[in-house]
Amino acid sequence: MDEVDPELVLVFDLAGSLKDFRNAVNRIEGLEFLSEFLDDESEPDDDFHMVSRQSGRTVDKVQHSLYLVMSNTEAAGQLVRLFEQWRANPSMSFEHGLGKFRTAFEQLRAIRRWGAADRIRDTGLIEDWRERLEFVGQSLSSVLVEIELWYRRDVEQRAAAEAHLNEVVSVAGGHVRDRAQIDAIAYHAFLVDLPVQQVQAVLQQGAEAIQLLTTDEIMFVSPYTPMTVAPPTLDPPAAQAMPAPERVEGLPRIALLDGLPLVNHDALTGRLTVDDPDALGQDYSVASRHHGTAMASLIIHGDLSAPGSPLDRPLYVRPIMRPHAFAIGCEQVVDDKLLTDLLHRAVRRIVEGEGGRAATAPSVRIVNLSIGAESRALVRRMSPLGRLLDWLAIEYNLLFVVSAGNHRRPLIIPAEAADDIEAARTEALIAARSTSRQRGILPPGDALNALTVGAVHDDAAGRLELSNTVWDITESGMPALYGAVGPGVGRSIKPDLYHVGGRALYSKPVRLPGATTVELGLATTAATGPGTQVAAPGRAGATNTTAFTYGTSNATALVTRQASRILDILEAGADANDDPSFPDALYHPVLTKALLVHASSWGEPGRRLRRALNPDPQKARRELTALLGYGVLDVARLGAAATNRAVLITGASIGREQRHTYSIPLPPSLRSKAEWHRVTATLAYMAPIAAQLTRYRAAKVFFETPEPTMTGGTRAEANHYAVRRGSCQHEIIEGTRSMIFETNGSLPIHVECMNDAQTLRAGQTIRYGLVVSVETAVETSTSVHDEVRAQLRSQARAQARGRVQG
């Protein structure tokens, strides 16, 4: 459907399994699924629990609600009335042709119209309002909310809905600060100031207490909490020897949408192209320019404790933050504009231009977003920010590298663990795991087509002498305890990968008499480290100062730096004239994503988490996938040749119900050898989206796991089902059984495309990048690379002869 009429939407509260309800509904003509919110689980209770045929009632979590769209308003009303009649008299006789509804009704607690509770469900609105009143109290005069309307393609209907909303807001004593309409993602939203009296009414009397939440035109109401970044330290930053300033030439490849950097810092001068159309820099004090300066420093130089070669192109910077109005030194995402619209305009200005002016940086291929929305992570639907990035990635062929988000609330551990760091380390992991649903991915890190990055506890600061008031409680190389974890929407894999985010220390907890638990809170270490060392604004005009920071933002900036390195390799092309040519530049953004994921694996962090958490063996892979994604990025595997490993890349466009088959040459030195080897295949694609509440992903591109007999191994790491739920499939097959294949044999990889939401039109194609590697131990063979390369060259020559003859 192109749009959804709210009058046709019914909410079905399940009392049984989704599978049983779907089976019952499939036998009823005229019903169509609008969406399946599979993540929406709750603890079982006496009225709402799962039952096993073998053991009776279980303790398994249960799905809660889903939404169906009816064929017409009359049918929706009839279904609600029929259910109420059946609930009053379960033994009633159904009219002819309606008997099949009995089976469906038995799986339900209720059928109801879309209402006030649905508009705020899982948005965190009530929790946000309650916290604000508790902390601010009587001084709170108003709150900001983002109101998303049911999108209407008809102009007159949109105008009528907007007029009604303005009236409702005015009557409530509020006012509209901003509005936005993005047709491509069916987004029609408003930023509204509501008086505190409206908040108090809802908290005291429920969601239906105010007219705003009962207005039919409204789909969702969410708290609007622009991300605020505190300075890493209030102490004077340290002076650091910097490389001589250098002005770089060329066209920018990377865009940083963030705070305004300190442009004349020694690490940044001559290396930035700042575009500030909103004139945010006029009131941006030097003392507040922390976050943008840090991110620019990491992208250009890496960790300054062990800097790499700086980027040889300028970095395009578009400020989207400003100094906080009250908190000294803090920065905040612009708070009087809808962030979704602000990002839309910023990216469009880069690629297309704005206000009749030419594009500001059409050469950009990668966009770094180390910012996000601080509202509660949404687990049941894609955020508007996520929808926007998914569409922009396709529309402008961009790779968005996005931070997963940070959750800085203390971890609660048993009090007895406060006396021993090893016990505390294990309990902290368990606490982080148990609160994973509260530490979900923050928008726009939920975007399917973005590369979402988590942080690992590591940096280049080296060994440090720590005071007895802090603990280095996270093992080096393990996922940071403060980082957001997956899964993503529809249980897709998020974060996609993890990278160095800086070591974070925790204050050593004080165990009070009689206390059963203690809090583990993050310590401030910006002045002395550890952490990633970054450029920072100094005092008295100093331009050579640094600080130590940590976070998923840092990891994201460092991954962006590696993405630029990959683009260098792709743009340079093949090493020799007789090698097959590299894929066209059209596929470089999606290939960059595929190559970054391809160089990631669980490795030692996966083994440590298994030992520490001891998960149920049947659920272990699924749980670890949510905590680790596709694993930790190994920078050493990016663009570096290895004699015992061959890496093959390709890019193409595929249409609906098509199949592309690739023959991966297998090295003769591995044939019939019972030695360790690994085959890794990574497929990334730009997934088209269905912007309404229908099944979100419009098409699925995937490959079948290669034949075990030929690969001589078994699947490892990420959950088999989860790898196909997003827009990146990463499969690792490893083992020690012999690989059975003929001389000059090859491994077939079949890439297929199928409709996922019945919206992919005939003739429409999807860009994808495929990376496949074959490797073994050095002791087994040092000729894998050369053997595969020789076969590829032979194939290329044969294809060239065929074209000449043709």
Side-chain angles (χ1 to χ4, degrees):
M1 301 178 66
D2 286 337
E3 63 181 62
V4 177
D5 187 337
E7 294 184 359
L8 305 183
V9 178
L10 295 184
V11 183
F12 288 68
D13 292 331
L14 302 185
S17 75
L18 180 66
K19 179 180 178 181
D20 290 343
F21 180 71
R22 186 193 293 116
N23 290 340
V25 167
N26 284 344
R27 298 198 284 274
I28 303 172
E29 186 177 354
L31 289 182
E32 177 186 350
F33 273 100
L34 176 63
S35 185
E36 298 175 6
F37 292 146
L38 301 181
D39 299 66
D40 187 17
E41 299 175 329
S42 62
E43 298 294 339
D45 56 34
D46 289 339
D47 298 321
F48 193 22
H49 56 263
M50 303 298 294
V51 176
S52 165
R53 292 182 181 178
Q54 290 76 28
S55 57
R57 176 173 171 173
T58 73
V59 296
D60 293 343
K61 290 186 177 182
V62 287
Q63 264 70 49
H64 205 186
S65 298
L66 58 84
Y67 302 97
L68 291 180
V69 60
M70 300 295 295
S71 54
N72 58 68
T73 305
E74 183 179 355
Q78 288 177 348
L79 185 59
V80 173
R81 289 191 295 273
L82 185 62
F83 178 78
E84 293 300 328
Q85 293 170 10
W86 174 83
R87 192 166 64 170
N89 178 21
S91 61
M92 65 174 282
S93 297
F94 285 79
E95 295 180 15
H96 179 70
L98 300 180
K100 292 180 180 179
F101 280 100
R102 184 189 301 276
T103 305
F105 289 170
E106 289 173 349
Q107 309 297 323
L108 299 173
R109 302 175 85 182
I111 301 178
R112 54 188 173 79
R113 302 274 189 176
W114 184 276
D118 300 293
R119 294 185 177 96
I120 61 174
R121 188 175 182 178
D122 286 338
T123 66
L125 185 77
I126 297 299
E127 295 87 343
D128 180 83
W129 283 0
R130 188 173 287 118
E131 286 183 8
R132 286 173 182 268
L133 282 183
E134 287 177 358
F135 285 102
V136 183
Q138 298 300 318
S139 62
L140 182 68
S141 60
S142 64
V143 295
L144 274 176
V145 294
E146 179 177 356
I147 298 174
E148 193 173 352
L149 302 187
W150 293 96
Y151 181 79
R152 301 292 202 179
R153 298 200 179 275
D154 183 83
V155 176
E156 292 183 358
Q157 289 183 338
R158 277 203 311 272
E162 188 166 324
H164 188 208
L165 176 69
N166 281 319
E167 180 184 346
V168 169
V169 170
S170 178
V171 169
H175 73 275
V176 174
R177 280 202 188 187
D178 192 26
R179 65 172 299 280
Q181 177 186 313
I182 306 174
D183 298 336
I185 62 170
Y187 179 70
H188 190 193
F190 296 80
L191 182 60
V192 171
D193 245 329
L194 283 181
V196 69
Q197 290 80 7
Q198 296 278 295
V199 174
Q200 292 168 334
V202 171
L203 295 181
Q204 293 169 6
Q205 304 170 42
E208 297 187 357
I210 63 174
Q211 184 182 3
L212 181 75
L213 296 182
T214 61
T215 300
D216 289 340
E217 289 86 354
I218 292 177
M219 183 167 61
F220 293 113
V221 180
S222 308
Y224 193 73
T225 312
M227 187 183 86
T228 300
V229 182
T233 179
L234 296 178
D235 297 326
Q240 173 78 18
M242 293 287 168
E246 178 185 356
R247 180 166 298 280
V248 294
E249 303 295 336
L251 299 174
R253 177 192 286 144
I254 299 172
L256 172 65
L257 308 185
D258 208 280
L260 181 64
L262 180 59
V263 177
N264 65 341
H265 192 285
D266 290 354
L268 306 181
T269 185
R271 299 183 179 277
L272 305 179
T273 299
V274 177
D275 180 25
D276 185 16
D278 299 323
L280 298 176
Q282 292 181 0
D283 301 312
Y284 221 124
S285 66
V286 169
S288 297
R289 300 187 187 189
H290 287 280
H291 201 263
T293 301
M295 296 305 105
S297 172
L298 287 168
I299 292 172
I300 293 171
H301 298 283
D303 189 341
L304 289 176
S305 294
S309 299
L311 297 189
D312 58 0
R313 297 178 182 224
L315 174 67
Y316 173 91
V317 179
R318 164 71 185 265
I320 59 171
M321 302 177 77
R322 59 162 58 121
H324 196 282
F326 307 109
I328 297 175
C330 292
E331 299 166 271
Q332 185 179 57
V333 172
V334 174
D335 61 349
D336 58 354
K337 302 292 181 184
L338 287 162
L339 181 55
T340 304
D341 187 52
L342 177 60
L343 290 182
H344 179 222
R345 290 188 291 105
V347 174
R348 188 176 60 194
R349 178 181 174 87
I350 291 170
V351 183
E352 285 188 353
E354 184 179 33
R357 296 181 179 178
T360 54
S363 56
V364 162
R365 292 295 173 264
I366 301 167
V367 179
N368 185 102
L369 277 171
S370 290
I371 56 93
E374 290 186 351
S375 58
R376 179 180 173 184
L378 303 180
V379 296
R380 301 196 323 143
R381 64 183 178 100
M382 185 67 68
S383 68
L385 286 171
R387 300 203 315 262
L388 175 71
L389 295 199
D390 283 336
W391 173 70
L392 289 174
I394 299 168
E395 183 72 8
Y396 297 135
N397 196 22
L398 297 171
L399 173 61
F400 289 91
V401 186
V402 185
S403 57
N406 302 323
H407 294 274
R408 300 186 182 275
R409 290 188 178 183
L411 294 169
I412 310 299
I413 64 172
E416 56 268 23
D419 299 328
D420 178 67
I421 190 170
E422 292 300 327
R425 178 172 287 137
T426 299
E427 292 296 339
L429 275 174
I430 294 172
R433 175 197 187 192
S434 66
T435 57
S436 60
R437 287 185 68 83
Q438 288 77 50
R439 297 190 305 113
I441 303 295
L442 296 180
D446 54 349
L448 283 181
N449 290 330
L451 182 70
T452 305
V453 180
V456 295
H457 185 74
D458 200 5
D459 54 52
R463 183 177 176 82
L464 299 170
E465 292 297 327
L466 303 179
S467 72
N468 59 5
T469 62
V470 295
W471 269 351
D472 188 0
I473 201 169
T474 311
E475 290 185 275
S476 179
M478 292 288 284
L481 297 176
Y482 57 77
V485 296
V489 172
R491 293 182 293 172
S492 60
I493 290 180
K494 290 290 176 180
D496 295 277
L497 57 81
Y498 286 76
H499 193 38
V500 172
R503 287 174 288 169
L505 304 183
Y506 284 80
S507 298
K508 189 174 182 179
V510 177
R511 184 176 180 181
L512 299 176
T516 58
T517 62
V518 294
E519 287 188 351
L520 277 175
L522 288 160
T524 300
T525 59
T528 60
T532 53
Q533 190 175 17
V534 299
R539 296 185 179 179
T543 59
N544 63 342
T545 49
T546 64
F548 293 91
T549 67
Y550 58 83
T552 58
S553 293
N554 298 28
T556 302
L558 290 173
V559 169
T560 298
R561 175 175 167 81
Q562 296 302 325
S564 181
R565 176 184 165 198
I566 290 175
L567 282 178
D568 281 338
I569 296 170
L570 293 174
E571 291 174 4
D575 291 337
N577 293 333
D578 52 351
D579 282 329
S581 60
F582 275 19
D584 186 85
L586 177 69
Y587 304 105
H588 287 181
V590 73
L591 259 176
T592 299
K593 179 179 179 181
L595 284 162
L596 286 165
V597 173
H598 191 80
S600 305
S601 65
W602 289 1
E604 184 60 26
R607 290 186 284 273
R608 291 180 185 174
L609 282 175
R610 270 185 196 272
R611 291 194 297 268
L613 300 177
N614 191 26
D616 181 336
Q618 294 184 340
K619 299 179 180 178
R621 189 171 287 187
R622 185 177 68 185
E623 290 192 27
L624 291 178
T625 299
L627 297 175
L628 283 169
Y630 285 125
V632 180
L633 174 63
D634 183 355
V635 174
R637 296 175 68 89
L638 288 176
T643 59
N644 62 320
R645 182 176 72 246
V647 182
L648 301 91
I649 64 172
T650 188
S653 297
I654 191 169
R656 185 178 70 188
E657 309 305 329
Q658 289 184 353
R659 169 188 275 195
H660 294 175
T661 298
Y662 296 94
S663 295
I664 310 303
L666 294 174
S669 61
L670 293 187
R671 185 158 62 97
S672 301
K673 278 190 178 180
E675 303 286 350
W676 177 87
H677 57 272
R678 173 186 286 176
V679 176
T680 306
T682 308
L683 172 73
Y685 62 99
M686 298 292 194
I689 63 171
Q692 287 288 349
L693 283 181
T694 50
R695 191 184 297 270
Y696 180 74
R697 188 179 59 177
K700 175 171 66 174
V701 181
F702 64 99
F703 62 86
E704 294 293 346
T705 306
E707 167 59 40
T709 302
M710 185 169 288
T711 58
T714 57
R715 292 190 67 262
E717 301 193 358
N719 178 267
H720 177 63
Y721 300 104
V723 297
R724 296 191 183 186
R725 292 189 180 122
S727 65
C728 188
Q729 180 182 355
H730 181 56
E731 303 262 15
I732 298 175
I733 303 101
E734 61 181 10
T736 56
R737 300 194 309 272
S738 297
M739 299 178 71
I740 308 301
F741 56 89
E742 300 296 328
T743 303
N744 294 326
S746 62
L747 179 69
I749 300 286
H750 305 292
V751 176
E752 302 183 56
C753 176
M754 62 181 292
N755 248 330
D756 212 23
Q758 305 305 314
T759 60
L760 191 65
R761 298 185 301 274
Q764 183 178 354
T765 60
I766 298 171
R767 294 185 295 273
Y768 71 84
L770 176 66
V771 183
V772 182
S773 65
V774 182
E775 63 184 299
T776 189
V778 174
E779 295 79 9
T780 303
S781 174
T782 57
S783 58
V784 170
H785 180 273
D786 289 340
E787 291 170 357
V788 172
R789 186 178 194 176
Q791 291 187 59
L792 280 179
R793 286 174 168 174
S794 178
Q795 290 179 9
R797 286 193 294 268
Q799 291 171 358
R801 286 195 298 270
R803 285 194 294 269
V804 170
Q805 293 172 0

